[in-house]
Amino acid sequence: MTAPTTYWLEHAWLGTHVEPGVILTTGPDGRITDLRTGADTPPPGAEVLRGLTVPGLANAHSHAFHRALRSTVQVGSGTFWTWRDFMYKVAQNLTPDTYYALARAAYAEMALAGITNVGEFHYVHHAPGGAPYADPNAMGEALIEAAAAAGIRITLLDTAYLSAGFGEAPNAHQLRFSDGTADAWAERASALKSGGHARVGAAIHSVRAVPADQLATVARWAEERGAPLHVHLSEQTAENDACRAAHGRTPTQLLADHGVLGPRTTGVHNTHLTDADIALLGGTTTGTCMCPTTERDLADGIGPAARLQHAGSPLSLGSDSHAVIDLLEEARAMELNERLRSRTRGHWTANALLTAATADGHAALGLPDAGRLEVGALADFTTIALDSVRTAGAVPRLGAETAVFAATASDVRHTVVAGRHIVRDGAHTLVPDVPSALSESIAALRA
């Protein structure tokens, strides 16, 4: 329970426009109980949030341990597959304790960037060599606890990762990821508990990592619980080629054949798709999570986000490998990538891009009651400065355009989750020194 609080928002983005002078009140249940416009000055006792307040940002795709890869993977050249080899080495050094420390620091960095909910695509389940921990969910529970310590919500997307590729046995690195079968995965995942700041969903790592005859088991587990289901989809052309060789169809078609697609499902990346794939995803209202900073960092390519949305696929955004943690940059990059591809401007309005980063991202993570500044919604919001060197001088009514096309994570001044101030004046209230927490937790993985 959180004490009721009244906030005065200098400017607030209300989904379609920016409104000056908004009074927002939160209740003890962590929801918005009142929202009034037309308040030129703060009422007595109100917390004053100067700048542009928007709903909390949703990071719909995260691998927390990838935060340890930043900079080190920028040396030399290579491909996604050479990058993956380095990622495996870091994964081998994780324990429940070191994972907790790193995730707590990474999630605190997210809070500083205005993120109030993270979708953690979690597949490092077991000890090196594949033996389960005494608590088979020790790693997942460490992530849930880390999010609580950092003050943000988490949707733990517990991931089935069973194969090195289309039936091939897991390699030495992947033994940590595998439960052996989808039924064993389901048994372990069923012991995870939702509640409070945490929700539990499911993920299929990819069509190469879950045999076709076991895809339906994962989909059924999610359907029975009404839980979100995510899947890496067509991130690499090599995966598409291998899927066609093994099954005579694209990964999207394979997922459709086994009942994976649908409105609770989100395909992550959706980069290399056929026209038929796009029609399938849109026709089933399967979501698309774009991760532009990772997709460009790994030279994956530019996904057909505009075509997918036009076909009926809702868009969300994620920071994925955490090359940077900045959802405003992800939103901006999606539009700018499309401009480079098409050589035309204005594929999404600033309002549409903020919706992808807020309401649609939360919906993809099973929180349809978040991502809006309205009565009854979760009291999760963030305030972006309009007087920094990047944002100063803009007309306040164009605050959405300023936030998306000029601001960065460094311009976040406040983050409130469930009515509780997690970031105040740019400082984290629960993790006093986030840079040190990051440095120490990453150094522990190199020891």
Side-chain angles (χ1 to χ4, degrees):
M1 302 291 282
T2 305
T5 305
T6 297
Y7 294 90
W8 181 76
L9 316 180
E10 185 180 28
H11 302 281
W13 178 70
L14 300 182
T16 57
H17 67 287
V18 172
E19 187 78 28
V22 174
I23 296 174
L24 184 155
T25 304
T26 66
D29 60 352
R31 293 182 179 271
I32 298 171
T33 58
D34 191 26
L35 191 75
R36 286 175 283 154
T37 60
D40 295 336
T41 58
E47 294 236 20
V48 175
L49 302 184
R50 295 202 178 273
L52 176 70
T53 297
V54 304
L57 306 177
N59 188 353
H61 189 66
S62 163
H63 302 290
F65 77 92
H66 289 191
R67 178 58 182 85
L69 303 174
R70 191 179 294 179
S71 299
T72 56
V73 292
Q74 303 300 342
V75 178
S77 60
T79 66
F80 168 87
W81 307 102
T82 55
W83 170 90
R84 188 179 72 161
D85 290 339
F86 191 89
M87 178 270 289
Y88 283 158
K89 293 176 183 178
V90 173
Q92 284 298 100
N93 293 330
L94 293 170
T95 67
D97 289 341
T98 60
Y99 208 1
Y100 167 83
L102 176 57
R104 170 180 172 269
Y107 296 157
E109 182 181 356
M110 291 182 196
L112 289 171
I115 293 164
T116 58
N117 188 25
V118 60
E120 185 61 37
F121 200 103
H122 164 56
Y123 55 82
V124 187
H125 301 305
H126 307 300
Y133 288 101
D135 174 358
N137 284 308
M139 296 291 268
E141 289 165 358
L143 292 167
I144 290 172
E145 291 170 9
I152 69 172
R153 302 182 193 275
I154 185 171
T155 298
L156 187 76
L157 298 162
D158 196 277
T159 304
Y161 193 136
L162 310 173
S163 167
F166 299 102
E168 183 181 344
N171 66 31
H173 297 296
Q174 296 163 342
L175 290 172
R176 297 201 71 173
F177 312 158
S178 179
D179 292 293
T181 67
D183 286 334
W185 165 83
E187 181 179 0
R188 180 187 52 73
S190 294
L192 289 161
K193 303 299 182 187
S194 290
H197 76 293
R199 280 160 179 73
V200 176
I204 292 164
H205 180 273
S206 55
V207 293
R208 70 176 185 273
V210 177
D213 61 359
Q214 299 185 59
L215 292 170
T217 300
V218 184
R220 190 180 313 113
W221 186 95
E223 181 179 4
E224 289 171 351
R225 290 159 178 78
L229 173 62
H230 288 215
V231 54
H232 289 136
L233 181 56
S234 290
E235 182 178 4
Q236 293 289 321
T237 55
E239 179 179 277
N240 288 355
D241 294 342
C243 186
R244 284 192 179 94
H247 298 290
R249 65 204 73 185
T250 67
T252 300
Q253 292 166 328
L254 186 67
L255 294 174
D257 290 346
H258 291 275
V260 175
L261 303 185
R264 283 184 296 95
T265 300
T266 297
V268 181
H269 304 300
N270 292 0
T271 307
H272 303 285
L273 303 176
T274 66
D275 291 346
D277 291 340
I278 293 171
L280 268 174
L281 293 168
T284 56
T285 62
T286 299
T288 294
C289 179
M290 302 298 293
C291 306
T293 64
T294 290
E295 288 150 5
R296 70 191 184 194
D297 182 61
L298 297 180
D300 286 344
I302 300 172
R307 292 182 62 203
L308 281 160
Q309 188 171 50
H310 291 154
S313 177
L315 298 180
S316 56
L317 297 163
S319 64
D320 192 1
S321 70
H322 313 314
V324 296
I325 293 176
D326 188 339
L327 262 287
L328 299 174
E329 171 61 20
E330 303 293 347
R332 176 163 55 244
M334 187 165 70
E335 165 67 23
L336 298 185
N337 283 353
E338 196 66 26
R339 292 182 185 186
L340 286 174
R341 183 219 302 277
S342 66
R343 292 180 288 176
T344 59
R345 304 173 77 230
H347 301 274
W348 293 276
T349 65
N351 288 333
L353 292 167
L354 278 179
T355 298
T358 57
D360 287 350
H362 289 292
L365 297 177
L367 280 174
D369 52 351
R372 296 176 179 82
L373 298 182
E374 59 184 39
V375 173
L378 294 173
D380 299 355
F381 44 92
T382 187
T383 304
I384 301 161
L386 294 179
D387 59 358
S388 75
V389 293
R390 288 165 292 277
T391 61
V395 179
R397 66 181 175 79
L398 297 179
E401 286 77 9
T402 302
V404 171
F405 291 105
T408 72
S410 298
D411 296 313
V412 170
R413 293 292 175 265
H414 305 280
T415 301
V416 174
V417 180
R420 179 187 184 196
H421 231 121
I422 301 302
V423 173
R424 187 186 297 274
D425 295 321
H428 203 290
T429 62
L430 303 178
V431 184
D433 188 347
V434 178
S436 290
L438 286 163
S439 295
E440 292 166 7
S441 61
I442 292 169
L445 295 178
R446 296 174 181 156

